[in-house]
Amino acid sequence: MSIDLVTFVAQLVNLAILIFLLYKLLYKPLLNAIDTREQRISNAVKKASDDMKKAEEKIKELEKKKADFEAERSEMLNKTYNEVADLRVQLEKNVRDEINQKRELFLNELEKERQIVSNELQTMFVDNFVAFSQKAMLDLANTDLESQIISNLDRKFEVLSEDERQKFFGKSEYIVTTKYSLNVNVKNVIEHFIVKKLQGTQGTIQYIQSDDILCGMSISSNGNELSWNLKEYLLSFSQAISEALKSISARRVQN
């Protein structure tokens, strides 16, 4: 079998032309298209990577801002809570102070009112009782009444200790104090008591009058005093009235 050299060369030329044409018209554009697509993909990947990094940075920034916001929010809440707590304490203190102040004012006013009422009642009782006692003294001032007073003094003298009784014996002067002047009969009763009980003498007795004696008598000597005075009972009665008013005021405060 013989090979046609011309045909073979022609085939080679055709093949070369075909390869050249394929390279120029198909392969090279295809490579360029592949390179372009790869470049576009690479750029897209790079852009996506950059975007991802930016997104991650943005997320980190947002997370940092969120953490800062939460910290600031927590700080503001704590500060607000503390301020509210302080304000509540201050308001409670102000309310307590105001209540205590009003209560103090109320108690002061109540005490003034009680004192006024007490004074008025005491004055009323004293005035009326004094008037009654004075009238009774004027109506009953006789030897029998004074004898009863001397009897009261005698009983008070008898309950004294021996040392206390010795202080009244045999003194150089005895002062007899009454509210009103005494008649001769009453003075005789008094002198008999002083001479018999106190071992005194008639010349040592001095009579004086004093408004401090409401209804009664006082015998004193060298600072020692033996007395019976209706005013003492009146003062005790007035004190009892005052204590009763205080009790009423206390119950009003509690209610």
Side-chain angles (χ1 to χ4, degrees), residues 128-140:
N128 285 276
F129 202 84
V130 167
F132 168 77
S133 299
Q134 289 176 344
K135 187 176 184 303
M137 283 292 293
L138 292 175
D139 294 339
L140 302 175

Side-chain angles (χ1 to χ4, degrees), residues 39-235:
Q39 185 64 37
R40 188 166 60 249
I41 292 173
S42 177
N43 292 335
V45 171
K46 185 175 183 301
K47 185 176 182 303
S49 178
D50 293 339
D51 292 341
M52 182 65 71
K53 290 181 180 179
K54 290 180 180 180
E56 291 177 353
E57 292 176 356
K58 190 68 174 179
I59 290 173
K60 290 181 180 179
E61 182 179 356
L62 291 175
E63 288 178 349
K64 184 177 182 302
K65 287 183 178 180
K66 180 181 178 182
D68 295 339
F69 173 77
E70 290 294 334
E72 184 177 358
R73 175 176 172 272
S74 178
E75 182 179 357
M76 290 180 64
L77 287 175
N78 290 333
K79 183 178 179 181
T80 303
Y81 176 80
N82 293 332
E83 290 178 351
V84 170
D86 294 339
L87 180 60
R88 178 182 178 183
V89 171
Q90 185 63 38
L91 289 176
E92 289 178 351
K93 181 179 181 300
N94 293 338
V95 171
R96 284 196 303 270
D97 292 342
E98 184 177 358
I99 292 175
N100 290 334
Q101 184 178 6
K102 289 183 178 180
R103 183 175 183 274
E104 188 68 24
L105 290 175
F106 172 75
L107 291 177
N108 290 336
E109 292 297 327
L110 189 62
E111 177 61 23
K112 290 179 182 178
E113 180 182 351
R114 187 202 65 78
Q115 191 63 41
I116 292 173
V117 174
S118 177
N119 291 337
E120 290 178 352
L121 286 175
Q122 288 186 38
T123 301
M124 180 186 68
F125 281 116
V126 170
D127 291 344
N128 285 276
F129 202 84
V130 167
F132 168 77
S133 299
Q134 289 176 344
K135 187 176 184 303
M137 283 292 293
L138 292 175
D139 294 339
L140 302 175
N142 52 36
T143 303
D144 292 336
L145 179 61
E146 301 299 340
S147 297
Q148 291 299 322
I149 294 175
I150 293 297
S151 297
N152 288 331
L153 292 177
D154 191 6
R155 283 193 294 270
K156 293 186 69 172
F157 181 77
E158 289 298 331
V159 298
L160 295 177
S161 65
E162 183 65 27
D163 291 339
E164 291 175 335
R165 281 186 290 180
Q166 287 291 334
K167 296 177 182 178
F168 289 94
F169 290 157
K171 300 301 179 182
S172 60
E173 182 181 29
Y174 294 92
I175 299 175
V176 178
T177 305
T178 57
K179 185 176 181 64
Y180 304 100
S181 61
L182 304 175
N183 58 39
V184 175
N185 292 331
V186 174
K187 288 182 179 180
N188 289 335
V189 175
I190 295 172
E191 290 174 0
H192 181 268
F193 172 76
I194 292 176
V195 171
K196 182 179 179 181
K197 284 288 185 180
L198 306 184
Q199 302 177 11
T201 60
Q202 293 181 353
T204 61
I205 302 173
Q206 178 184 358
Y207 296 95
I208 62 175
Q209 294 176 228
S210 173
D211 291 334
D212 290 336
I213 304 294
L214 177 61
C215 177
M217 183 182 302
S218 170
I219 300 176
S220 60
S221 176
N222 293 339
N224 302 306
E225 183 180 31
L226 183 65
S227 66
W228 184 89
N229 188 358
L230 192 59
K231 191 174 183 179
E232 297 176 359
Y233 296 91
L234 180 60
L235 290 175

